[in-house]
Amino acid sequence: MRCWAVGSPVLPPISLPLSPAIPFPNGASSSSSRGSPNAEDSSCIIAPPFPSFKWRLLIAYDGTRYAGWQYQRSPPTIQCLIEEALIGATKLERKDLHLVGASRTDKGVHAWGQVAHFITPFNYDSLESVHAALNGLLPVDIRVREISPAAPDFHARFSTLSKVYHYKIYNGAILDPFQRCYTYHCVYKLNYAAMKEAANYFVGKHDFSAFTNAAHNDRVGPLVQLEVEGSGFLYRQVRNMVGLLVQIGKEAIPPDVVPKILASQDRRELAKYASGVPPQGLCLVSINYKEDHLKLPSDCPGTSVGRNRSVSKCKLPFY
């Protein structure tokens, strides 16, 4: 877990303890701490034998209307709509695509840097057309920012080194209505020095069991942004950590309560002091990967970042 606070030096990243690895095709392994995947989890489907081609997606979405990433049809999820767009663009069946996302973001959580991969039995000469097709089939609050070829060893979830999340707090008396879907509104005046002190206790390798169910503290006017980076996260861990920091910022509890809660390894100990904050302030910003897994394979098209359109001629009537 790596956390920052205003005025503090950048601290070196560390790793959170992960669950035992589960064998996966192509040499990857599972280390998800979010529980066993259900039957609809496409990461459990055995990948087809080669020849096949793997593709990496960089995805941004506004999670307000969706029930998180993980596949389900009703209420709709991000994975479900991405798969429907891929089916339309590739003419393949869901079982053939093997779409896997890097992070199973929760209901209402946003992403700027979600990563996923899928498989096709054919190669592409260019990715621009399929990129445009995907965004044409997706709703406007979900965008594929990039599509690129991926090496056989790349796995969106299991090749990760760390994930970076931002949590935004609007710390003002009256909420800016344009921020309502992307921040948590806290009307209490927060003590940022106390929050900074408490965030430093999170840095390091710990058992975060007490936070299952800090941060770069940038303040621009009433907006406070907390940045958290770690090798893995438990269910609602970031939101529970931020909830505790808010209580410390209100000066309801002292900063040194953090190591006490960490040492307890018990969610009930955290519940004595704070509850989690709502999802709309949380955004998955980026995912860092093993360099050797990001090498582009040979005989594949270049990365598509979308194409701009231009007007070649403009005719104006003259009277």
Side-chain angles (χ1 to χ4, degrees):
M1 176 74 59
R2 179 169 62 187
C3 300
W4 292 273
V6 166
S8 297
V10 174
L11 300 171
I14 68 90
S15 300
L16 297 181
L18 301 177
S19 57
I22 300 171
F24 196 84
N26 300 331
S29 62
S30 169
S31 57
S32 172
S33 55
R34 296 289 301 275
S36 301
N38 56 38
E40 295 287 6
D41 185 356
S42 57
S43 68
C44 295
I45 303 172
I46 301 301
F50 286 102
S52 63
F53 299 86
K54 188 176 286 187
W55 311 97
R56 181 170 58 248
L57 301 174
L58 180 62
I59 308 165
Y61 49 84
D62 179 333
T64 304
R65 299 193 304 131
Y66 303 105
W69 167 268
Q70 193 69 7
Y71 184 89
Q72 67 180 45
R73 289 190 175 277
S74 182
T77 62
I78 307 297
Q79 182 179 357
C80 180
L81 293 174
I82 293 285
E83 287 189 356
E84 288 179 358
L86 282 170
I87 290 168
T90 66
K91 310 305 180 186
L92 297 172
E93 298 295 327
R94 176 177 184 254
K95 63 181 177 62
D96 300 320
L97 291 167
H98 306 280
L99 179 71
V100 179
S103 180
R104 302 175 186 179
T105 54
D106 296 328
K107 178 180 179 181
V109 173
H110 313 295
W112 173 248
Q114 172 72 290
V115 176
H117 76 255
F118 69 97
I119 294 171
T120 62
F122 48 78
N123 200 354
Y124 285 102
D125 294 326
S126 170
L127 292 174
E128 288 190 348
S129 294
V130 68
H131 191 177
L134 286 175
N135 281 335
L137 292 167
L138 286 166
V140 294
D141 49 3
I142 305 175
R143 295 289 89 176
V144 174
R145 293 173 53 204
E146 293 182 12
I147 178 171
S148 62
D153 287 341
F154 174 81
H155 192 280
R157 188 181 306 164
F158 305 140
S159 296
T160 59
L161 292 175
S162 67
K163 301 174 185 177
V164 179
Y165 286 88
H166 284 177
Y167 194 93
K168 292 184 179 180
I169 301 170
Y170 194 89
N171 190 208
I174 299 173
L175 175 63
D176 178 346
F178 294 102
Q179 297 287 342
R180 72 190 188 281
C181 293
Y182 311 104
T183 62
Y184 163 55
H185 185 207
C186 180
V187 298
Y188 296 91
K189 185 177 180 180
L190 298 176
N191 181 334
Y192 301 109
M195 294 174 71
K196 171 183 171 181
E197 180 184 345
N200 288 331
Y201 287 113
F202 286 122
V203 179
K205 189 171 183 178
H206 306 287
D207 186 327
F208 284 88
S209 300
F211 289 88
T212 185
N213 178 29
H216 185 78
N217 187 338
D218 286 332
R219 191 176 183 199
V220 182
L223 273 178
V224 180
Q225 180 171 280
L226 306 173
E227 182 175 286
V228 183
E229 179 176 359
S231 60
F233 294 93
L234 300 171
Y235 182 52
R236 295 191 178 178
Q237 179 185 329
V238 175
R239 289 163 58 187
N240 287 330
M241 290 167 61
V242 174
L244 183 63
L245 291 178
V246 168
Q247 288 299 103
I248 292 169
K250 293 177 183 178
E251 300 183 336
I253 51 177
D256 60 7
V257 76
V258 175
K260 176 184 177 181
I261 296 172
L262 285 170
S264 75
Q265 302 178 21
D266 189 342
R267 176 66 178 82
R268 292 171 294 182
E269 186 66 22
L270 174 65
K272 296 176 183 178
Y273 301 97
S275 57
V277 287
Q280 71 268 17
L282 187 61
C283 181
L284 173 62
V285 176
S286 62
I287 300 173
N288 299 313
Y289 284 98
K290 301 173 185 176
E291 285 296 328
D292 56 332
H293 286 194
L294 292 178
K295 292 179 181 178
L296 297 181
S298 58
D299 302 324
C300 281
T303 298
S304 172
V305 295
R307 56 189 175 193
N308 294 318
R309 300 184 182 276
S310 60
V311 177
S312 59
K313 186 180 292 186
C314 182
K315 294 183 179 181
L316 297 176
F318 292 94
Y319 297 98

